[in-house]
Structures are given as structure tokens and as C-alpha cells.
Amino acid sequence: MSYRKRLTALILIDSAIVLSAIYLSYLILHPEMSVLQMGTLLVSAIALLGSYHVYAFVYKLYNKVWEYASVSELIAIVKAVSLTIVTTAIIQLIFFQDIYVRALAISAMILVLFIGGSRFSWRMVRNQLIKKQQCNKKKTLIIGVGAAGTMLTRHLLNKADGELLPVAFIDDDCNKQKLQIHGINVVGDTTYIPAAVTLYEIETIIIAIPSLKKAEVKRIYEECSKTAAKVQI
């Protein structure tokens, strides 16, 4: 999808969510709205819609690659929605000398839920497509649960056309044993490498500890050589 089509689609989706949010909030609080309340709803909807798109561009919600969305993207949505609600509250105060707190609070919850959901659903769909392709990948054992190991694992898991699939971690730090990173278990220390290769049908071993000394690298290689798996650094 081209950038222009993607931008248009996101703006239309967000506009529908914003207008639905303010309408639903008023409908929940006032099932039978009066003419005065309809006027308040109209002004609030225009203020909410306009200010949201301003803050969406400020926080680049239309420029992010949502297939790789994480906590930072969710925080950007929360910031944009929060400022949108504050701006709408100020406009309500100017026009009506009052702030409709309950309606804005409900709108804020709906906006975060549905805008966040619409974005993260892109990632969920992508993850499902990747999982379907993982059956043909080579099962891989990652040695090292430090920054390099976790970064490498995330890269391999998100790479749809890659050949390697991380299925287990090995690390000598006893505090990391039995933990889980990116959904993958730390199954043991380096003495457990041969057993892990057999148990998980490992085809490739990657040593992801850049700070290793030569003696340590040699020791790990000796453990790896007890298996038929291909070793990479």
C-alpha cells in the first residue's frame, strides 16, 4: 500500500473512531438528548476531531510502521488522545462555561481502546502470517540472553523471509534460568547445549555474546561440537 493510500485509510478510520467515541459517550450519559445537548455534542465532536488530527500529526501516528508497534507507539497514542481531550475541554469551557468531564472521560477510554486496537491489529495479522511461514525454518538455539541475543531473536522472529527460527535460549547466568524472552524459554546453561539440541531438534546454534573471551568461546564451541548443529557467531 502506498503512503498516500495508507495515510487516507488511517485518517478515515481515526475520524470514524473519534466521532463514534464522542457520540457513544453522550448516548450513554443522555439516552434522550435535548436540542441543547445536540449542540454541545456537535461542538465537542468538531473540537475532538480537529484537535485529534493535529496531535496525531504531531506525534506522527500516521507515519509509524504499525507492523512493528510496541510500547512506545502505544504511549504516543495515549499522549495524542490526552492532549486531544484537554483541548476539547478548553473549547467546551470557552463555548459553554462548563466542561463535560464524564463524556470526555468515556471518549478518552474509547479512543485509546479502538485507535490502539486498530493499529495493533496490523501487527497481530502480520504475526499470524509469519507463524504460518515458520514451519519451514531451521530451529535455532541462541546462546546469550544479553542485549545482543535478545535483539537478534526479535529480528529473526520478525523477519518473515528469514531461514532461522529461535526456539530456545542458553545462558550461564543462574538468575536468567527458566525465564522467557520474546516467548522463548531460557532452558539451561552452556553444559546443557547437547541436550537442548537433541530435545528441540536444533539445526543451527548462534553464539550471541560479543564480550566473550577466547577461552570462553573455545569452551562453548567444544560443547557445540558434541552436536551436529551448525554454529555461527
Side-chain angles (χ1 to χ4, degrees):
M1 185 184 293
S2 66
Y3 172 74
R4 181 169 293 181
K5 289 181 179 179
R6 185 174 180 276
L7 177 63
T8 302
L10 287 175
I11 289 176
L12 290 175
I13 290 170
D14 285 0
S15 296
I17 292 172
V18 170
L19 294 176
S20 299
I22 190 66
Y23 176 76
L24 285 174
S25 65
Y26 271 80
L27 188 62
I28 291 170
L29 296 171
H30 309 287
E32 297 179 1
M33 283 186 284
S34 64
V35 175
L36 180 61
Q37 289 167 336
M38 287 294 290
T40 305
L41 173 60
L42 179 61
V43 172
S44 300
I46 294 171
L48 203 67
L49 185 63
S51 56
Y52 171 77
H53 285 305
V54 169
Y55 294 120
F57 278 101
V58 169
Y59 287 100
K60 302 185 185 300
L61 298 187
Y62 299 133
N63 300 89
K64 296 183 183 297
V65 182
W66 292 102
E67 292 88 339
Y68 303 100
S70 60
V71 176
S72 60
E73 282 73 23
L74 180 59
I75 291 173
I77 291 174
V78 172
K79 287 180 178 179
V81 169
S82 299
L83 289 173
T84 297
I85 296 299
V86 170
T87 303
T88 304
I90 293 172
I91 292 173
Q92 286 183 344
L93 188 62
I94 293 171
F95 276 82
F96 309 110
Q97 289 75 52
D98 194 11
I99 297 175
Y100 300 90
V101 178
R102 290 188 298 168
L104 291 179
I106 295 172
S107 298
M109 290 186 287
I110 293 174
L111 288 175
V112 172
L113 181 63
F114 283 91
I115 292 174
S118 68
R119 299 301 197 271
F120 282 87
S121 62
W122 290 28
R123 177 171 179 172
M124 291 172 64
V125 170
R126 182 179 181 278
N127 288 345
Q128 289 301 316
L129 293 175
I130 290 176
K131 285 182 179 179
K132 290 181 180 179
Q133 300 172 352
Q134 288 180 346
C135 57
N136 298 321
K137 294 185 177 183
K138 297 178 181 178
K139 293 182 178 179
T140 304
L141 180 68
I142 306 294
I143 300 178
V145 193
T150 53
M151 187 184 300
L152 171 65
T153 301
R154 183 170 59 183
H155 171 72
L156 293 176
L157 290 173
N158 289 326
K159 192 174 182 182
D161 57 347
E163 297 181 352
L164 306 179
L165 174 64
V167 296
F169 280 112
I170 289 289
D171 199 285
D172 283 330
D173 187 345
C174 60
N175 294 321
K176 295 178 181 178
Q177 301 302 319
K178 299 183 180 180
L179 295 181
Q180 195 176 76
I181 298 94
H182 300 309
I184 299 171
N185 294 322
V186 182
V187 298
D189 57 21
T190 49
T191 61
Y192 190 70
I193 290 174
V197 169
T198 302
L199 181 62
Y200 295 97
E201 300 177 344
I202 300 297
E203 297 178 70
T204 304
I205 300 172
I206 299 181
I207 302 174
I209 314 175
S211 60
L212 273 182
K213 296 179 180 179
K214 289 184 178 180
E216 286 296 309
V217 173
K218 182 180 179 181
R219 182 180 64 80
I220 293 174
Y221 257 108
E222 288 175 354
E223 293 295 331
C224 295
S225 65
K226 298 175 183 177
T227 74
K230 180 182 178 182
V231 184
Q232 300 180 19
I233 297 182

